[in-house]
C-alpha cells in the first residue's frame, strides 16, 4: 500500500555539490545524464536506467557535473527496505519515463498509483514463486569471508556468488533471516570490526583505511548513525 506521504517528482541536478539526509526513503531513478552519489561512504553512479534506494537517516552526497535528471520518490513506505540491495530491471525505465511525464503534466493518478507500481517493478519475484527449496546460508562463514576482504568491501553480487545464490535471492533471504538489507548487514558487520580495531588501539585513520571508508570522518559519521 502506498504511504500517505509518498511524493513523486522529477528533479534536475547540476554541478553544485549537495549533501543531506532524510527521515524517509528516497528512491532515485536516472532518466538522463549521470548523477554521482556517495551513500554511507560508498560511491554510486546513477545513469539513465539506473536506480538507488537511500534508506532513512543515510547521509548522501551528490553532484552531476554535466547535469542529470532523475525521477525521485520520497516515501515513508517500509516495503522499500526490501529494495535497498536490488538494481531495478531494464523494464523499469519505461514505467519511470511514463511517471516522469505524468509528474510534469500533473496527473493525479500517477501520484496516487505510481509509487506502488514503481516498487512492484523494482523488486524481483519472491523465492517462493519458484517452488524450489531454499539453500541454507551459513551467515557466520559468510561474515568471516566478507571481513577477510580487508579494505575492499565485497559487492552484493560477490556475496551472493559465495553462497551460490543470485543477488536478488540473497537480498530476500537477508531481509527474511537477518531483518535487514544485505548492504545494511555488511555495513554493520564491518563497523563492528572497526570498533574492535579501535579497542585494540589502532588510530581512526588506520581503521578507516582498513574498513574501506574514504576518510576518518566518514567512518566516525557512519558509527554515529548506527550506534556501533
Amino acid at each position: 500500500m502506498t504511504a500517505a506521504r509518498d511524493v513523486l517528482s522529477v528533479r534536475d541536478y547540476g554541478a553544485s555539490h549537495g549533501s543531506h539526509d532524510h527521515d524517509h526513503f528516497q528512491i532515485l531513478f536516472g532518466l538522463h545524464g549521470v548523477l554521482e552519489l556517495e551513500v554511507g561512504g560508498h560511491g554510486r553512479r546513477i545513469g539513465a536506467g539506473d536506480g538507488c534506494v537511500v534508506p532513512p537517516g543515510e547521509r548522501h552526497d551528490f553532484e552531476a557535473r554535466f547535469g542529470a535528471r532523475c525521477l525521485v520518490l520520497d516515501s515513508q513506505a517500509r516495503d522499500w527496505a526490501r529494495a535497498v540491495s536490488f538494481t531495478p530491471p531494464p523494464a523499469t525505465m519505461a514505467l519511470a519515463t511514463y511517471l516522469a511525464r505524468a509528474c510534469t503534466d500533473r496527473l493525479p493518478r500517477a501520484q496516487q498509483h505510481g509509487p506502488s507500481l514503481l516498487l512492484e517493478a523494482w523488486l524481483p519475484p519472491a523465492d517462493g514463486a519458484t517452488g524450489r527449496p531454499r539453500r541454507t546460508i551459513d551467515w557466520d562463514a559468510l561474515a568471516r569471508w566478507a571481513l577477510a576482504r580487508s579494505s575492499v568491501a565485497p559487492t552484493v553480487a560477490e556475496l551472493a556468488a559465495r553462497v551460490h545464490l543470485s543477488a536478488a535471492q540473497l537480498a530476500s533471504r537477508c531481509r527474511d533471516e537477518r531483518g535487514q538489507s544485505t548492504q545494511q548487514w555488511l555495513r554493520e558487520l564491518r563497523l563492528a570490526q572497526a570498533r574492535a580495531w579501535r579497542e585494540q588501539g589502532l588510530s581512526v585513520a588506520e581503521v578507516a583505511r582498513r574498513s574501506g571508508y574514504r576518510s576518518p570522518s566518514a567512518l566516525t559519521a557512519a558509527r554515529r548513525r548506527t550506534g556501533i
Side-chain angles (χ1 to χ4, degrees):
M1 179 178 295
T2 301
R5 294 166 59 188
D6 281 2
V7 177
L8 271 171
S9 61
V10 176
R11 300 183 193 176
D12 292 311
Y13 296 88
S16 297
H17 180 81
S19 179
H20 55 221
D21 55 42
H22 311 282
D23 62 358
H24 55 262
F25 288 97
Q26 186 168 81
I27 297 86
L28 299 152
F29 190 93
L31 299 171
H32 178 75
V34 176
L35 177 66
E36 300 288 348
L37 284 176
E38 186 172 288
V39 182
H42 299 282
R44 298 286 300 272
R45 184 179 184 274
I46 308 297
D50 297 326
C52 177
V53 179
V54 181
E58 192 77 86
R59 177 160 292 277
H60 46 291
D61 301 335
F62 53 91
E63 67 176 337
R65 296 180 183 177
F66 304 103
R69 172 167 289 188
C70 294
L71 178 70
V72 179
L73 171 62
D74 293 311
S75 177
Q76 297 285 353
R78 288 179 292 178
D79 283 346
W80 277 106
R82 298 162 49 209
V84 170
S85 299
F86 293 136
T87 299
T92 310
M93 184 64 177
L95 174 62
T97 301
Y98 164 75
L99 292 176
R101 187 167 58 250
C103 287
T104 301
D105 295 340
R106 298 184 179 181
L107 301 179
R109 290 181 64 83
Q111 187 63 60
Q112 181 181 0
H113 300 291
S116 58
L117 290 173
L118 188 61
L119 176 63
E120 183 178 350
W122 199 292
L123 291 171
D127 273 0
T130 65
R132 292 177 293 185
R134 285 188 164 191
R135 183 187 300 273
T136 300
I137 298 177
D138 186 337
W139 291 101
D140 290 339
L142 186 61
R144 289 192 296 271
W145 178 82
L147 292 176
R149 297 290 299 273
S150 186
S151 62
V152 181
T155 65
V156 173
E158 289 171 333
L159 288 168
R162 183 69 181 179
V163 291
H164 309 290
L165 294 173
S166 70
Q169 288 172 327
L170 178 63
S172 177
R173 295 287 298 279
C174 193
R175 175 60 57 191
D176 291 345
E177 298 177 21
R178 313 299 297 186
Q180 55 190 167
S181 71
T182 315
Q183 290 175 329
Q184 288 172 323
W185 173 77
L186 180 61
R187 180 166 58 247
E188 291 184 9
L189 191 69
R190 294 173 71 81
L191 285 173
Q193 184 183 59
R195 181 180 64 185
W197 280 331
R198 282 290 290 144
E199 291 173 350
Q200 293 170 13
L202 294 181
S203 68
V204 176
E206 176 62 16
V207 171
R209 185 190 68 79
R210 291 191 182 192
S211 302
Y213 282 85
R214 58 184 172 82
S215 67
S217 60
L219 171 61
T220 300
R223 292 189 63 189
R224 186 180 298 115
R225 285 193 298 271
T226 60
I228 297 177

